[in-house]
Amino acid sequence: MESNSNYKYGIKSTFSQCLALVGAGFLQVGVGTELICSTVIIGALSDHSNKNEWLTMTNEQMSWFGSLLYLCTPLGSLMSSLVLDWLGHKKCMIITNIPYLVSQIMFFYAENVETMYACSIMMGLSVGFSGGPFSAYIGEVCEPKLRGALMCATNVFYFSGSLLFAAIYAITRQWRLTVLINMAIPIITIAILCVSPDSPMWLLSKGKNEKAQRTLGKLRGWVTHDKCSNEFHEMVVFMSANKNSSNNKNDKTDSESSWKQLLQPDVIKPFRLLLIYFFFSNLLSGVPFSPYLVEVFMTFGADVDVQWTIAFSLGIAIVGGILTVFMVNRLGKRFLTLTTLSICSICYISIGMIGVYWTSSKQIKSWLLLTSFLISTFVASFGIMPIGWILLTEIFPMKSRNITCSICSTLSYILSFFMTKYYTNAVYLVGFYNTFTIFGFGGLIGCVYFYFCLPETENKTLQEISEFFK
């Protein structure tokens, strides 16, 4: 395998890869709006001063509405894993916008809680269906030196979608009008994806070598075949090696499905690592209380407009995501993970301690709590939030990447469901501020684990990363 240092394509290659990922970026804008949707709507329905809103929810109904999206995401991931090899990444990313668009239409006309549940389920199917195709697409389209940065760039699109939705509501104060305006996003995304290229690796897997060669040339700056012949040769060798590996296994069994490959060491090891990563990432990046942000900010007690504070928190998350684009190649994913996870843990512990033990000025206390929370939001968006999804595109072997990307995305959202659904129960059992303290000490345990078990994958080829876990 040639070193990735031999890939000297220049600025045109970077531009063409960024252009190819615009559709995937807009897909993340949609995911961002879907995941912030419950936060905005729960906050709106909790505002009993709004006399124009006839729909109401109990606290239990709100917890189900806020978490059903995560519960139904695995079904969407399962569906995408079954058709991904057949349809390819591009078509799957187009299909994911259909339930998204339907959910927004249903929201606009919703008159009862059951319809709201159905909307949350539709969004869960959409988010789940997009996870595997999106992650695998970026991992296969990008050069090794750009893979981490461009994956982080799509994370900026995600936060931009959340910010857009929150800002529209902060301006209009009408959640039905907000979802009506939001219908434009899936329509635009479909239009862009229709003219996006397929993954060269997927084309090779389908025996379309000439088309794969032409597509790779376009992705590397519209260069000639000679210019990208080394990389294309590596792709062919990589695909052949995986096919030969499967054929060798078939000598012992008539047909070993790709599902059985999940039990092999080079899949199990990164699978376990990534699942643990998603657990700590979700725990320390605000996932458990994301549907209840309005209530969280009100509990802090700072004299601010809650809706614009939510929008501001998403704005600083965008800044963190942009910094990751420029810094991940220099600092590495391991350093960023350890640093940002440590800082988020300290911020959460600080929130818990200040909330319980601070007895002097309530105004100072409220601003310390809000500031610590916003710092953790910024830091998480700078490290642990995007890096888990970057690792998802890198650490699995080609033979099982599509399935493992879908399964890991699924399990991440299952974790999110349990954290979101039972967050209110945790608050009831141990108290609001003690919950932050427990999460913070849990994050410190994660730091110890990643110090010993997380390898550096930055500037490594997919083959080199795969070899590490064998």
Side-chain angles (χ1 to χ4, degrees), residues 147-206:
R147 192 187 308 124
L150 291 179
M151 185 66 186
C152 293
T154 61
N155 196 57
V156 174
F157 280 89
Y158 161 77
F159 286 120
S160 299
S162 297
L163 173 60
L164 177 65
F165 195 90
I168 292 174
Y169 177 73
I171 294 170
T172 64
R173 302 289 169 157
Q174 299 180 50
W175 68 267
R176 293 180 190 272
L177 178 58
T178 302
V179 297
L180 179 64
I181 297 171
N182 190 56
M183 291 179 195
I185 293 178
I187 296 173
I188 295 172
T189 304
I190 291 173
I192 295 174
L193 286 172
C194 284
V195 295
S196 299
D198 279 306
S199 157
M201 294 286 276
W202 180 78
L203 292 171
L204 278 175
S205 71
K206 296 301 176 183

Side-chain angles (χ1 to χ4, degrees), residues 375-387:
I375 291 174
S376 72
T377 300
F378 169 76
V379 172
S381 67
F382 181 42
I384 54 175
M385 279 192 74
I387 288 176

Side-chain angles (χ1 to χ4, degrees), residues 446-458:
C447 291
V448 175
Y449 174 80
F450 292 130
Y451 179 82
F452 291 103
C453 300
L454 181 65
E456 180 57 72
T457 63
E458 191 63 26

Side-chain angles (χ1 to χ4, degrees), residues 274-440:
L274 200 56
L275 189 59
I276 295 173
Y277 196 105
F278 277 135
F279 173 81
F280 287 109
S281 173
N282 289 354
L283 192 69
L284 275 297
S285 59
V287 168
F289 42 76
S290 58
Y292 317 104
L293 271 181
V294 172
E295 181 182 347
V296 169
F297 287 151
M298 291 180 68
T299 304
F300 287 162
D303 186 18
V304 294
D305 184 294
V306 172
Q307 299 302 332
W308 281 112
T309 304
I310 292 175
F312 177 75
S313 69
L314 294 168
I316 62 175
I318 292 176
V319 176
I322 293 173
L323 285 176
T324 311
V325 174
F326 295 102
M327 301 302 293
V328 67
N329 192 260
R330 295 184 177 183
L331 300 179
K333 303 183 187 73
R334 175 182 164 85
F335 175 82
L336 279 177
T337 295
L338 294 174
T339 303
T340 58
L341 185 58
S342 300
I343 296 174
C344 286
S345 300
I346 293 171
C347 286
Y348 274 42
I349 294 172
S350 298
I351 291 173
M353 296 298 181
I354 292 172
V356 173
Y357 297 108
W358 186 283
T359 57
S360 56
S361 172
K362 289 186 177 181
Q363 185 177 9
I364 296 176
K365 173 183 177 180
S366 65
W367 280 103
L368 285 174
L369 293 171
L370 181 59
T371 302
S372 297
F373 183 86
L374 292 176
I375 291 174
S376 72
T377 300
F378 169 76
V379 172
S381 67
F382 181 42
I384 54 175
M385 279 192 74
I387 288 176
W389 296 101
I390 300 172
L391 293 173
L392 181 64
T393 69
E394 297 178 331
I395 63 177
F396 293 113
M398 178 63 193
K399 62 187 177 183
S400 60
R401 184 174 301 138
N402 287 340
I403 292 177
T404 49
C405 280
S406 294
I407 292 177
C408 280
S409 299
T410 296
L411 294 177
S412 172
Y413 286 112
I414 289 177
L415 287 171
S416 298
F417 164 74
F418 283 107
M419 290 179 180
T420 304
K421 180 67 181 72
Y422 296 105
Y423 161 76
T424 53
N425 298 78
V427 171
Y428 178 78
L429 288 174
V430 302
F432 176 77
Y433 291 111
N434 288 332
T435 303
F436 277 91
T437 303
I438 293 171
F439 288 176

Side-chain angles (χ1 to χ4, degrees), residues 9 13 16-17 141-143 216-223 231:
Y9 297 117
S13 174
S16 62
Q17 289 172 70
V141 162
C142 300
E143 298 175 57
L216 181 63
K218 293 178 181 178
L219 289 170
R220 299 303 181 255
W222 299 277
V223 297
E231 185 178 5

